[in-house]
Amino acid sequence: MGQDLSAKLIACFKPPSEISATTKTSNNAMSGFNTTKSLTLAVADEIATLAIEVAKKNSFNPVAICVMDPSGHEIVTKRMDGCPAMVYPKISHAKANTCVSTKSSSRAYGAKYLKGADGGEVGPSTFARVINQISIVGGDMAAFQGGIIVKEKSSGDIVGSV
């Protein structure tokens, strides 16, 4: 990893972006099986560490960072000292889960349902739809900024989320 990923992680605290990282692929020579690319533990840990370094560098309040694989399973979660221990890790998990569930940033998911085409408020039926979707997954989604997709640079495949 290195400077390239560091620069992209810094960008993740601005409007949503996509970052690329080294991946681990499970190869199966048998036909009829799908294979999935995913972040390695080492890469996921480095992403979380770099995100915390960026938060410190920019004097943000303490944050929690959750890195997931493309199927929505947590690889690494870290929280800064002073970060509310109960709620922030759950929020970071929900943001990352939203990304792999919808294949978009959590900001884009929220914008789709919480802003009308003209940028104004949405009607009650649209708002009810997003509330129902979040309820269906047990509240484990977030319709606001903070979650980003991680894609493999060469293929564009989703390999995780932060």
Side-chain angles (χ1 to χ4, degrees), residues 81-97:
D81 293 339
C83 177
M86 183 65 139
V87 72
Y88 279 35
K90 289 180 181 182
I91 291 171
S92 68
H93 188 275
K95 289 177 183 181
N97 189 56

Side-chain angles (χ1 to χ4, degrees), residues 5-158:
L5 183 58
S6 297
K8 290 179 181 180
L9 275 172
I10 290 169
C12 83
F13 287 100
K14 295 178 183 169
S17 63
E18 297 170 350
I19 59 176
S20 302
T22 305
T23 60
K24 181 179 182 181
T25 305
S26 70
N27 291 318
N28 190 330
M30 298 178 69
S31 63
F33 289 91
N34 291 323
T35 58
T36 303
K37 296 178 182 178
S38 182
L39 298 170
T40 62
L41 174 61
V43 170
D45 187 61
E46 187 169 357
I47 288 170
T49 299
L50 288 170
I52 286 174
E53 288 174 12
V54 169
K56 287 178 182 176
K57 179 181 173 186
N58 288 291
S59 301
F60 294 159
N61 289 330
V63 298
I65 305 295
C66 177
V67 182
M68 286 188 168
D69 70 16
S71 60
H73 294 281
E74 202 170 303
I75 302 172
V76 171
T77 295
K78 292 185 175 187
R79 64 181 168 88
M80 293 171 62
D81 293 339
C83 177
M86 183 65 139
V87 72
Y88 279 35
K90 289 180 181 182
I91 291 171
S92 68
H93 188 275
K95 289 177 183 181
N97 189 56
T98 300
C99 296
V100 293
S101 297
T102 64
K103 298 183 180 183
S104 67
S105 70
S106 60
R107 179 189 303 245
Y109 174 70
K112 180 177 179 179
Y113 292 104
L114 302 178
K115 291 183 183 176
D118 62 357
E121 293 183 15
V122 296
S125 64
T126 304
F127 186 72
R129 187 178 310 130
V130 74
I131 296 301
N132 282 319
Q133 289 174 357
I134 293 170
S135 176
I136 287 168
V137 295
D140 198 19
M141 289 178 69
F144 47 87
Q145 74 278 1
I148 60 167
I149 289 288
V150 181
K151 291 185 176 184
E152 183 182 47
K153 190 173 189 173
S154 62
S155 68
D157 292 340
I158 294 172

